[in-house]
């Protein structure tokens, strides 16, 4: 599994991020979303909720594990919030 990190900014479009999350969940059963700052975290959470509705039609249930991550941005160490999103089949679509 080669899950890339989906980085979210305060200016990120919720629907675009949700589509990226849903795509990863369908392909790899996992997505990792990272955000720094209140605005970015807000967009990340809204996108996760929207992605949940996108994959529900595929019979997938979403679980989120939040964590902190230390990241280096242009030589400065920042603390990001990282959300590891997993899925499992709900069993409603014969899976």
């Amino acid at each position: 599994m080669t899950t890339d990190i989906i980085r979210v900014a305060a200016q990120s479009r919720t629907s675009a991020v949700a589509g990226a999350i849903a795509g990863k969940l369908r392909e790899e059963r996992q997505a990792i979303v990272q955000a720094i700052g209140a605005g970015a975290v807000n967009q990340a959470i809204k996108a996760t909720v929207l992605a949940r509705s996108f994959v529900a039609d595929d019979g997938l249930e979403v679980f989120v594990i939040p964590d902190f991550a230390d990241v280096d941005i242009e030589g400065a160490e920042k603390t990001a919030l990282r959300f590891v999103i997993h899925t499992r089949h709900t069993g409603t679509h014969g899976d």
Side-chain angles (χ1 to χ4, degrees):
M1 195 172 295
T2 61
T3 301
D4 296 318
I5 295 174
I6 299 169
R7 290 175 175 80
V8 181
Q11 301 81 17
S12 295
R13 284 189 22 240
T14 303
S15 58
V17 175
I21 293 169
K24 286 284 187 187
L25 294 176
R26 288 181 183 117
E27 291 173 20
E28 300 178 16
R29 306 298 253 224
Q30 173 178 293
I32 300 173
V33 177
Q34 182 173 288
I36 299 173
V41 170
N42 181 53
Q43 291 304 96
I45 292 297
K46 289 192 302 186
T48 300
V49 172
L50 187 56
R52 178 178 177 254
S53 69
F54 291 169
V55 299
D57 291 339
D58 299 321
L60 297 175
E61 189 174 12
V62 172
F63 297 88
V64 180
I65 301 169
D67 202 1
F68 292 106
D70 293 325
V71 295
D72 183 331
I73 298 179
E74 298 177 4
E77 189 170 302
K78 303 272 185 179
T79 300
L81 284 177
R82 190 171 285 174
F83 303 98
V84 180
I85 307 166
H86 295 277
T87 62
R88 73 172 179 193
H89 281 282
T90 61
T92 60
H93 288 77
D95 297 315

